[in-house]
Amino acid sequence: MRRLVLGLVLALFATAHGLALQWPLESRDPAQSQDPDFATSVKEWTTKPEFLSPLVDHLPVVPGVPMPKDVIGHHIGEPKKLTYYADMLRYYRALDAASDRVTIESIGMTDEGREMIVVYISDAADIANLKTHVEGYKKLADPRNLSDADVRQVIATTKPMYQLMGGLHSGETGPSEMLMELAYRLAVETSPLINDIRENLIVAITPAADADGRDRYVDWYYRHLIDIEDESDRITGPPYWGKYVFHDNNRDINFSQVSMRNLLDWYMRTKPPIMHDLHESIPFLYTYSGAAPQNPNLDPILFAELPMFANFEMAQLTKYGMPGVWTHGFMDGWSPGYLGSMAYNHNGLMRMYETFNNGGATTMKRNLGGRGGSQITREWYRPLPPYEEDMWSMRNNTNYMQTAVLSGLQYAASFPKVVLENFYKKTMNSIEGGKTTAPHAFIIPGGQKDQTRVALLVNLLRLQGIEVGLADKPVKIKDTEYPAGSYVIKRDQPYGRLAKILLEKQDYPDPNLRTYDDSGWTMGHMLHTDVVAVDDSSILDVPVTLIDVAEAKGRVAGRGGAGLAVAHYGSNNMITLRYRLGSAGVKTAEAAFKAGGLDFPAGSFVIPADGNDLAKARAAVEALGLTAVALDAMPDVAMHDADLPRIAMFSTWTSTQEVGWVRHAFDKFEIPFDLIYKEQVRQGNLRSKYDVLVIPSQGGSGRAFVQGYQGPDKPIAYTKTDRFKFLGEYGSSDDIRGGIGLEGVLELERFVQAGGVLITLGAASYLPAEFSLAPHVTATRQSNQFYAPRPIVNAEITRPEHPIFYGYDKTTVPTKYTNGPLLSVPDAQKSLVLAQYPGGDSNVLSGLLRGANELRNRAAIVDTPNGDGRVLIYATNPVYRWQNHGEFNMLFNALVNWNDMN
Ligand SMILES: [Zn+2]
């Protein structure tokens, strides 16, 4: 009845405006007054009529409730306007204060001290009742103690939460703008469409997932990008988004970054059934549907739900006449390491868009045929392709993304019970799958010498809500007995699916299929920690005590007063201990010895009582989870002083992300260093300031370091000013153009000749090979057929006595393969090679490597003495995304033994 009256009113309204039909009939409430200024502005900023939809061509005016313009001074999508994070928060707070349909939760602080929030929007009664709905999601996320009647009751009384996230990638500026207008529209509009959404869903909004990067990018936009109106004049983005990483905040599989961790913690507290991550790249709007290869552990229901939503959105926007909305042919469903993967890894639904944008709010002519034309063809998954070229504006971006999001919400609001049923069913499937399908559990056997990596592994699983049990008695499965103290991860639990995803070997289904990101991530390999899959279902009945966190308890045995010996069992905390002891006279044993009944491998620290505070050392050992013995007498082995080097880490101005991961690891393990750039290298005199210079993976050729960023004909400053206070962070430059130059290469050579240690990692290792800093080493590239989306491969340690391998007790070890150069060394210099790749398919441990024979006997790490110093060249990337902890020591050992590698 209500609908009929509404329809009549709408028909009258339409006639009055001279239109044949105001459609869709659901998109406006004729009783609600609309802002004429908004309608006029949006029409003007939209570059073609078909780039606008009836869902977003109007904005209601509601006295007492601020629209974005009332707080931030402009309508969303105005050319050359971007909003700083603090202004976004001001807007959301004002909206919250004015509307009982909105509430805000604070979810933690960023690295740089910005407050992260989630904004909830629904009917007033449900906002008041938010906790009850969240309790409902939690019940469905772990229904083990619910009866069928309970489940029915929860589904009948709970509204699904649909979370939307913008600004994970700071250069993708549109979503964070659009979300403010969406929040307002959802809070105030009384059209049938929006009423339905409010009545059936709770919408949650994360305004900018990388809030630090948002402000830095907006500063950069206003300083350098705003007046660039020609696509071919575009320049690089700011040297940094957040503190450490750029796009890789969406590859942080272990949630190491503070903001990503805050979002995970919020997820684990809230369990929204749908998370929708809003990105920007390709034209005009791509909606994710989970193309092949699909991770087989993810629920088949997921891959049916994804196209269900995507097809509905594509159909709606196509119906509104908006070209260029498509699905399927861009992004697959293999890696579980994207930020939004937290939703489908936990039995929910992750959704994702890519909307077209210009890297800011400046309207620009964009050529799309230039992308090989591959995204402008008509296909079954792209019925109305984007145009070959067009003027594109921020408002176009807002129109597309908001219309699609509203359509996604419309769909979810039409089937709220289905959303919840699916969430429940996927959870049940995960639990049942653990009972019916091997492996039924994973065991981390007790008694592993380095308990710090065991604890890290367990705690990374716990972070994601995976239940881990501790066995206080030996666990016997058929003929194998695991000692007391083993950890057991049973798969008949809600997140048994995720445990399998993270712990098993990644068996890539088809070598002909490409994948968007990593193909292999098996955690036991990455942490060099034993993990055993158990196929016998009797493991499910083994009694264990579920633990909250694992603690690596350090221990100090013996009562001797001669000193303290600290065993190097491969813990990355060894270097932290060394730095915590500061100027103390710590020695490194060059050979294995026994003391107090324990084996001390080469590389163990010996801290003599003479001149040291042993009580402090003891406390540090215990706090860091290490193993030590108080010595009756000093061991009778060769030792050298574990001198602490003065460290510099080099970064180019335009490739700071891999450097960021190494910076992050150094900060976490308390390794001090100076971050230096081309300016400091060109100044020279490096040896007087530093002992070790680390160049993390970047560049991809020697020339890239020498030439640097070529850029436009005017200086590009990255400096802090009164106007641009978020620039000049983590380094500062009056002009980021150019590289270290040939004179910089000479300075590096002088540094090495004078006794410095130059360390290059991954792609940076082309530099010493191509510019004769390591005369015997050549670096070449893989063939065009070679394809290695970062699998895990074996490396053979050929010089196990070398100090960089202190703490490694095997000579064949898993390494992350990150496409560093193919290194060669002449036969006469083979002794320089510390590790090599055996190559071949049999040495691919997890994930995909096409062309594994190209690696056969290629050097993986080379130590090249040069003058009084040396160059350590890694084709590997020993510090990759807080992931390959088992390799970190191959770098850390080089630091602690920098002047003892002869
Ligand atoms: Zn993105």
Side-chain angles (χ1 to χ4, degrees):
M1 184 62 189
R2 191 175 132 246
R3 290 285 162 83
L4 185 65
V5 173
L6 237 171
L8 279 171
V9 174
L10 269 171
L12 287 171
F13 175 84
T15 310
H17 287 72
L19 300 167
L21 176 67
Q22 177 69 42
W23 72 274
L25 300 176
E26 307 278 307
S27 72
R28 287 192 196 208
D29 175 2
Q32 197 163 34
S33 63
Q34 310 288 341
D35 181 12
D37 174 58
F38 175 90
T40 313
S41 301
V42 163
K43 213 170 163 187
E44 180 193 321
W45 302 334
T46 301
T47 59
K48 279 205 168 91
E50 63 267 36
F51 296 158
L52 186 55
S53 86
L55 274 49
V56 299
D57 63 355
H58 61 282
L59 198 65
V61 184
V62 177
V65 184
M67 61 175 63
K69 185 179 183 177
D70 298 329
V71 174
I72 64 170
H74 58 89
H75 290 303
I76 300 302
E78 178 169 341
K80 303 197 173 182
K81 292 272 198 251
L82 290 180
T83 309
Y84 284 98
Y85 187 68
D87 292 330
M88 287 180 208
L89 293 195
R90 270 198 311 124
Y91 177 65
Y92 288 114
R93 298 255 186 238
L95 185 64
D96 177 19
S99 171
D100 56 4
R101 291 169 174 167
V102 179
T103 192
I104 289 177
E105 180 185 354
S106 188
I107 65 162
M109 305 299 276
T110 66
D111 279 310
E112 297 179 6
R114 292 177 179 83
E115 183 189 6
M116 295 177 70
I117 63 166
V118 175
V119 184
Y120 301 95
I121 308 161
S122 188
D123 278 347
D126 293 293
I127 287 298
N129 239 337
L130 192 56
K131 278 206 177 95
T132 313
H133 291 287
V134 170
E135 284 311 310
Y137 315 141
K138 286 183 170 167
K139 285 178 184 162
L140 298 177
D142 185 2
R144 281 174 292 187
N145 296 318
L146 298 188
S147 67
D148 283 2
D150 292 337
V151 172
R152 277 199 197 94
Q153 164 74 11
V154 171
I155 291 177
T157 54
T158 305
K159 288 185 185 181
M161 182 179 288
Y162 191 124
Q163 186 257 10
L164 292 153
M165 180 161 65
L168 178 58
H169 291 157
S170 308
E172 302 163 15
T173 52
S176 295
E177 300 289 334
M178 182 282 287
L179 287 169
M180 287 186 276
E181 183 175 303
L182 178 78
Y184 174 74
R185 191 181 298 284
L186 290 174
V188 304
E189 183 151 18
T190 46
S191 66
L193 174 75
I194 303 294
N195 286 342
D196 268 358
I197 292 170
R198 268 197 312 267
E199 280 164 21
N200 291 292
L201 300 177
I202 294 164
V203 178
I205 291 175
T206 302
D210 181 354
D212 297 340
R214 173 70 188 189
D215 279 346
R216 195 147 21 251
Y217 193 91
V218 172
D219 257 359
W220 188 260
Y221 172 75
Y222 282 127
R223 189 166 189 182
H224 294 301
L225 309 181
I226 188 166
D227 293 324
I228 299 175
E229 294 179 347
D230 188 324
E231 184 173 21
S232 60
D233 292 338
R234 296 211 295 170
I235 67 163
T236 185
Y240 293 93
W241 289 352
K243 182 174 182 181
Y244 295 112
V245 298
F246 282 78
H247 297 86
D248 276 6
N249 60 13
N250 201 24
R251 310 287 189 276
D252 187 11
I253 193 168
N254 290 323
F255 295 92
S256 66
Q257 303 299 303
V258 169
S259 299
M260 310 310 115
R261 174 68 189 275
N262 288 340
L263 286 161
L264 175 70
D265 290 348
W266 170 78
Y267 179 87
M268 297 310 297
R269 288 197 300 275
T270 314
K271 312 273 172 80
I274 304 179
M275 288 183 84
H276 190 157
D277 193 7
L278 302 168
H279 287 260
E280 290 178 351
S281 59
I282 51 182
F284 291 138
L285 186 140
Y286 166 83
T287 166
Y288 174 62
S289 62
Q294 298 172 347
N295 193 307
N297 296 297
L298 295 174
D299 202 294
I301 297 169
L302 167 74
F303 293 104
E305 291 176 305
L306 284 168
M308 185 172 88
F309 275 88
N311 282 330
F312 181 74
E313 290 155 351
M314 185 165 68
Q316 288 292 83
L317 271 69
T318 303
K319 179 173 71 185
Y320 303 144
M322 303 173 90
V325 180
W326 55 290
T327 184
H328 176 70
F330 176 66
M331 161 93 188
D332 60 87
W334 181 253
S335 166
Y338 307 107
L339 184 67
S341 308
M342 72 173 86
Y344 58 50
N345 289 341
H346 292 92
N347 308 313
L349 174 60
M350 178 198 89
R351 310 205 56 234
M352 195 269 287
Y353 289 167
E354 302 279 353
T355 311
F356 202 43
N357 186 266
N358 302 336
T362 304
T363 304
M364 207 177 279
K365 186 172 177 185
R366 300 295 302 274
N367 187 320
L368 311 174
R371 297 170 180 244
S374 64
Q375 287 160 351
I376 57 170
T377 55
R378 182 168 176 164
E379 309 286 350
W380 63 265
Y381 52 85
R382 194 190 294 123
L384 187 56
Y387 302 151
E388 192 167 344
E389 67 171 28
D390 232 301
M391 292 300 288
W392 193 256
S393 70
M394 178 60 108
R395 187 64 215 187
N396 294 357
N397 170 288
T398 305
N399 295 340
Y400 268 78
M401 206 186 319
Q402 191 174 180
T403 304
V405 163
L406 285 169
S407 301
L409 293 172
Q410 177 185 16
Y411 194 81
S414 305
F415 301 100
K417 305 283 175 268
V418 173
V419 170
L420 294 175
E421 272 169 27
N422 288 6
F423 186 37
Y424 163 74
K425 182 67 175 144
K426 286 179 285 187
T427 304
M428 288 305 290
N429 288 348
S430 176
I431 298 167
E432 289 303 313
K435 294 176 185 163
T436 56
T437 321
H440 298 284
F442 293 87
I443 289 185
I444 306 172
Q448 299 190 44
K449 277 188 172 171
D450 173 26
Q451 283 296 307
T452 66
R453 277 171 298 164
V454 169
L456 175 65
L457 202 166
V458 169
N459 291 334
L460 290 174
L461 300 176
R462 291 292 304 129
L463 211 60
Q464 299 219 53
I466 294 169
E467 292 171 357
V468 181
L470 183 62
D472 57 7
K473 295 197 186 79
V475 177
K476 191 152 196 272
I477 299 295
K478 292 216 170 103
D479 298 333
T480 311
E481 187 173 289
Y482 302 94
S486 295
Y487 290 103
V488 180
I489 301 114
K490 298 182 180 180
R491 283 229 301 117
D492 60 341
Q493 57 162 307
Y495 305 140
R497 169 197 317 281
L498 178 56
K500 184 165 181 287
I501 290 173
L502 295 173
L503 296 173
E504 73 177 356
K505 171 190 177 178
Q506 277 73 60
D507 196 2
Y508 200 79
D510 179 351
N512 295 311
L513 290 174
R514 297 184 74 85
T515 187
Y516 198 75
D517 201 67
D518 280 12
S519 62
W521 50 82
T522 312
M523 285 182 80
H525 288 327
M526 290 288 77
L527 273 69
H528 289 193
T529 296
D530 291 341
V531 180
V532 183
V534 179
D535 287 348
D536 189 322
S537 63
S538 69
I539 185 71
L540 298 176
D541 300 322
V542 168
V544 294
T545 309
L546 293 183
I547 57 149
D548 194 23
V549 290
E551 270 182 81
K553 290 204 181 68
R555 61 195 178 110
V556 181
R559 293 168 175 274
L564 204 61
V566 186
H568 197 335
Y569 292 146
S571 171
N572 293 323
N573 287 351
M574 287 296 279
I575 195 164
T576 312
L577 173 70
R578 180 63 199 90
Y579 274 100
R580 284 192 187 175
L581 296 177
S583 59
V586 178
K587 294 183 180 304
T588 302
E590 295 181 353
F593 62 94
K594 280 185 194 297
L598 287 180
D599 288 321
F600 286 79
S604 296
F605 289 142
V606 177
I607 308 161
D610 192 17
N612 283 305
D613 180 349
L614 285 192
K616 183 185 163 198
R618 212 180 163 107
V621 165
E622 284 167 356
L624 290 167
L626 300 169
T627 302
V629 164
L631 298 167
D632 294 321
M634 293 293 278
D636 186 19
V637 291
M639 293 191 272
H640 61 249
D641 290 338
D643 300 316
L644 290 175
R646 300 163 299 163
I647 302 171
M649 196 184 301
F650 175 81
S651 181
T652 57
W653 279 113
T654 47
S655 183
T656 66
Q657 174 156 282
E658 294 290 347
V659 184
W661 283 113
V662 183
R663 283 172 49 226
H664 172 255
F666 277 34
D667 287 351
K668 283 287 173 192
F669 287 102
E670 304 172 18
I671 305 167
F673 63 95
D674 285 350
L675 182 60
I676 64 170
Y677 300 87
K678 64 180 169 76
E679 287 81 1
Q680 289 77 26
V681 171
R682 292 170 82 137
Q683 274 165 19
N685 215 11
L686 292 167
R687 184 66 190 99
S688 70
K689 296 174 214 151
Y690 304 112
D691 303 306
V692 176
L693 173 51
V694 181
I695 309 185
S697 185
Q698 59 195 302
S701 73
R703 200 171 65 178
F705 288 91
V706 172
Q707 289 188 339
Y709 175 56
Q710 293 297 288
D713 289 336
K714 58 171 190 193
I716 305 290
Y718 177 65
T719 51
K720 197 183 297 258
T721 69
D722 286 346
R723 169 65 187 84
F724 302 113
K725 50 183 180 291
F726 306 123
L727 304 181
E729 201 65 61
Y730 314 114
S732 174
S733 174
D734 291 329
D735 187 3
I736 65 167
R737 294 175 309 158
I740 61 173
L742 288 171
E743 63 268 43
V745 175
L746 280 173
E747 293 299 342
L748 295 179
E749 186 171 41
R750 285 186 191 118
F751 170 75
V752 171
Q753 296 274 342
V757 177
L758 176 66
I759 298 176
T760 59
L761 309 179
S765 290
Y766 287 105
L767 173 66
E770 291 175 359
F771 283 84
S772 275
L773 295 166
H776 301 298
V777 182
T778 54
T780 52
R781 286 176 174 71
Q782 295 84 351
S783 74
N784 287 335
Q785 288 76 47
F786 185 87
Y787 178 53
R790 292 172 298 278
I792 300 169
V793 304
N794 270 327
E796 277 172 7
I797 296 174
T798 49
R799 296 253 319 264
E801 80 293 352
H802 193 281
I804 72 163
F805 298 121
Y806 284 158
Y808 289 85
D809 57 1
K810 299 188 178 77
T811 51
T812 299
V813 292
T815 57
K816 186 82 178 178
Y817 188 76
T818 60
N819 292 286
L822 296 176
L823 299 178
S824 324
V825 175
D827 282 345
Q829 273 79 31
K830 270 283 189 276
S831 65
L832 301 178
V833 175
L834 306 185
Q836 66 178 10
Y837 293 114
D841 291 335
S842 63
N843 283 298
V844 179
L845 300 172
S846 191
L848 171 66
L849 206 174
R850 207 158 67 206
N853 283 337
E854 295 189 28
L855 295 186
R856 206 173 281 284
N857 299 329
R858 289 294 188 162
I861 307 175
V862 186
D863 177 7
T864 318
N866 187 347
D868 292 336
R870 64 203 324 111
V871 185
L872 272 175
I873 304 175
Y874 294 69
T876 61
N877 186 349
V879 179
Y880 174 79
R881 294 182 180 173
W882 199 246
Q883 196 181 115
N884 53 346
H885 289 255
E887 290 178 70
F888 286 10
N889 261 322
M890 295 186 200
L891 175 60
F892 293 173
N893 283 329
L895 305 176
V896 176
N897 297 281
W898 69 278
N899 55 352
D900 294 288
M901 288 192 273
N902 280 322

